[in-house]
Each structure stands twice: as structure tokens, then as C-alpha cells.
């Protein structure tokens, strides 16, 4: 039986649906307003076109802390979607709401059917909260629930993840977008700290080659960095996302074996998000 192919992150939103309004008051990107929609139906059409079985919806910033549309997609198409929500961070609920945030997470996971959260400290680089003990109730609850946390951060914030993930080994963590490393900087300012996270077995990498790349498709300047992540973390701790990356991961990288691709293209994401 073929292993599932799972897209590790796509956004979904609708326009002109009174059930799911885009409200700047709760958005964490209030100045952004989409001029088109990308609905659950649109994602399913893309999945059918490209031979993708399932998708992880990364709740979009337009909706902010209102996770209703992500919950709707998971409940309407449970065989197609998992989702991670937005709750804590810049323009969301404050990290110091430790116990209340833990309760909000439990409601999203138990009642809403979501798989976890996306945390984005990159939007407030001056604040240090990810490894602040005030967040411990949230991380403890995540461990109890088996929730996965995707983390979108800058290289200088990697140490916060290392600290928090080491103290809460029961929480699965996925580093988004290669931690936005600058490949023009020395290793110790980017890829080095990222690779150091391999010692923590609960930390995974979402590849997102396009973010650090200085080139167009297929982002060949990132392939040596991908190889270093692969060598450090192994395929069991790697996740791909976004359709322009699918062909690269499925067919172009020559150091992946067939068994590696089963993990990278879907096996790892299935374990993390579709439990």
C-alpha cells in the first residue's frame, strides 16, 4: 500500500461568507486583506491535481485568533485535512495568559479537532517569551494532548526553542521555513544553531527551501543546506510543504532513498498531525 503524500502547510480562507468574516480586530496581520480566496474546496482541487492525499492547514493570519475556518475544514473533510491554529503571540493572546492559553488550546484540540498551534515569535523579535516559564502551562497541556507546535522564528531565536523543547520533550516541535536562515551569513549565525537542534528528538524541520534561497526554482543553492539537515535529523524528522516544493522533494533530490521519501513526503506529517 502506498504511503500517503501529505502537504505540510497550506493556508485556507474564504471571502464573502458571513460564517467566517475576516475581522482586523482579531487578525494578527490587520493591514493585509486578500483579493481572492483559497478555500478548503480549492485545496482539495489542488490535491487531486497533484496527487496529494492530505494537507495540513496552517491557520492564516487574516483570521488571527479566530480559528473557526480551520475547525470547519477539519470537521467537514476529516479524511483530507488536519490543521494548526493561532492563539499566542504578537497581536494574539498574550503569552502571560499561561493557564488560560492552556485552556484555549485544549478547547481547540478536543472540541475543534485541531492538531496544535503555530507560534510566530519572528513577528516580535525583541520579546523573549517562547522559553519563559509563564508559557509552561501551555507546553504542559500540549504534551498532555499530544499537540504539535509549528514555530516560525528567526535564527537568533533558535536558542529559545532549544530551551523549551528540552524542558518539554513530550511536545512535538516543527521549525518552519528553515528558521529563515541567511545563507550569506556564517554557519554560526544560522544553519549551525539549527543543526544543533537535532539532539532534541522532539524537534523536526519543515524544509521550505524558497525562503532562504537566493535563486528561483528549484532553489539549488539550498540543496547543500538540505543535505546537512537530512544528515543531522534524518528523513523521519523532515516535512515538506507547498506545491512548488513537492516535485523537488519527490523526484529531484538525488540523496533521498525511496524509504526516505516515504517519510519526507508524508510519513512524518502523518505522525505529527493525523493522529
Amino acid at each position: 500500500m502506498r504511503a500517503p503524500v501529505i502537504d505540510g502547510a497550506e493556508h485556507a480562507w474564504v471571502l464573502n461568507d458571513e460564517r467566517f468574516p475576516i475581522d482586523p480586530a482579531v487578525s494578527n496581520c490587520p493591514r493585509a486583506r486578500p483579493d481572492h480566496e483559497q478555500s478548503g474546496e480549492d485545496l482539495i482541487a489542488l490535491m487531486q491535481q497533484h496527487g496529494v492525499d492530505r494537507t495540513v492547514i496552517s491557520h492564516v493570519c487574516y483570521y488571527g485568533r479566530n480559528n473557526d475556518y480551520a475547525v470547519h475544514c477539519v470537521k467537514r473533510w476529516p479524511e483530507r485535512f488536519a490543521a494548526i491554529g493561532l492563539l499566542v503571540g504578537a497581536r494574539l493572546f498574550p503569552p502571560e495568559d499561561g493557564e488560560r492559553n492552556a485552556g484555549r488550546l485544549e478547547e481547540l484540540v478536543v472540541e475543534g479537532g485541531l492538531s496544535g498551534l503555530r507560534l510566530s515569535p519572528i513577528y516580535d523579535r525583541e520579546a523573549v517569551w517562547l522559553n519563559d516559564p509563564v508559557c509552561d502551562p501551555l507546553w504542559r497541556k500540549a504534551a498532555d494532548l499530544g499537540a504539535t507546535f509549528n514555530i516560525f522564528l528567526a535564527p537568533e531565536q533558535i536558542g529559545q526553542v532549544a530551551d523549551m523543547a528540552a524542558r518539554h520533550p513530550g511536545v512535538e516541535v516543527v521549525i518552519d521555513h528553515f528558521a529563515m536562515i541567511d545563507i550569506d551569513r556564517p554557519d554560526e549565525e544560522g544553519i549551525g544553531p539549527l543543526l544543533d537542534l537535532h539532539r532534541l528528538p522532539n524537534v523536526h524541520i519543515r524544509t521550505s527551501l524558497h525562503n532562504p534561497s537566493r535563486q528561483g526554482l528549484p532553489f539549488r543553492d539550498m540543496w547543500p543546506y538540505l543535505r546537512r539537515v537530512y544528515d543531522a535529523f534524518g528523513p523521519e524528522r523532515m516535512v515538506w510543504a507547498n506545491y512548488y516544493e513537492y516535485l523537488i522533494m519527490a523526484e529531484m533530490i538525488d540523496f533521498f532513498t525511496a524509504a526516505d521519501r516515504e517519510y519526507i513526503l508524508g510519513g512524518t506529517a502523518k505522525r505529527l498531525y493525523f493522529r
Side-chain angles (χ1 to χ4, degrees):
M1 183 176 181
R2 180 178 67 86
V5 176
I6 300 174
D7 184 339
E10 295 290 343
H11 295 312
W13 68 94
V14 290
L15 302 175
N16 306 314
D17 187 329
E18 61 184 14
R19 297 173 298 168
F20 309 110
I22 293 177
D23 180 0
V26 299
S27 170
N28 61 326
C29 54
R31 293 185 178 88
R33 176 80 186 190
D35 58 8
H36 68 283
E37 67 178 24
Q38 182 165 283
S39 65
E41 289 90 346
D42 292 328
L43 290 181
I44 290 172
L46 282 171
M47 293 158 68
Q48 292 172 337
Q49 178 182 347
H50 294 282
V52 170
D53 301 300
R54 300 175 182 174
T55 290
V56 180
I57 293 175
S58 179
H59 189 55
V60 73
C61 68
Y62 307 137
Y63 290 126
R65 64 179 184 267
N66 181 341
N67 290 275
D68 287 353
Y69 191 62
V71 169
H72 165 78
C73 289
V74 167
K75 290 190 171 182
R76 182 172 178 186
W77 300 286
E79 75 287 353
R80 288 292 200 177
F81 296 124
I84 54 173
L86 293 173
L87 276 183
V88 181
R91 288 195 55 85
L92 301 168
F93 292 113
E96 55 267 27
D97 280 3
E99 293 292 348
R100 283 182 288 182
N101 287 335
R104 290 162 178 147
L105 173 64
E106 183 170 28
E107 181 179 358
L108 272 184
V109 172
V110 175
E111 298 180 19
L114 299 196
S115 301
L117 296 180
R118 190 187 204 201
L119 307 178
S120 300
I122 196 169
Y123 294 134
D124 191 2
R125 299 189 187 196
E126 301 303 314
V128 177
W129 59 267
L130 198 63
N131 62 336
D132 191 312
V134 73
C135 292
D136 281 350
L138 176 67
W139 285 73
R140 286 195 296 266
K141 180 61 69 175
D144 290 344
L145 296 168
T148 295
F149 281 3
N150 279 49
I151 303 182
F152 182 30
L153 78 171
E156 65 269 20
Q157 297 172 310
I158 289 173
Q160 296 180 50
V161 173
D163 182 24
M164 187 64 88
R167 289 194 287 115
H168 297 275
V171 182
E172 302 285 8
V173 172
V174 179
I175 303 298
D176 279 347
H177 297 309
F178 248 90
M180 298 300 287
I181 64 169
D182 184 343
I183 61 176
D184 293 328
R185 305 296 299 170
D187 280 5
E188 60 268 22
E189 297 179 19
I191 189 67
L194 183 65
L195 295 177
D196 286 345
L197 292 174
H198 85 277
R199 62 186 173 83
L200 301 167
N202 55 325
V203 177
H204 309 71
I205 304 295
R206 181 157 73 83
T207 52
S208 303
L209 301 177
H210 67 288
N211 290 95
S213 178
R214 299 292 188 268
Q215 301 177 359
L217 283 165
F219 316 121
R220 289 185 184 274
D221 58 339
M222 280 299 297
W223 290 16
Y225 295 90
L226 180 68
R227 179 61 191 254
R228 295 172 71 181
V229 164
Y230 167 79
D231 288 341
F233 287 85
E236 301 92 339
R237 292 164 63 191
M238 295 171 65
V239 177
W240 74 279
N242 308 123
Y243 284 100
Y244 45 73
E245 193 166 272
Y246 178 34
L247 182 61
I248 299 171
M249 295 298 174
E251 298 184 12
M252 299 183 71
I253 302 298
D254 61 7
F255 49 85
F256 291 164
T257 68
D260 292 339
R261 287 191 170 88
E262 289 199 0
Y263 285 111
I264 296 167
L265 295 182
T268 305
K270 181 181 179 182
R271 175 175 59 83
L272 292 171
Y273 304 106
F274 292 88
R275 300 181 181 178

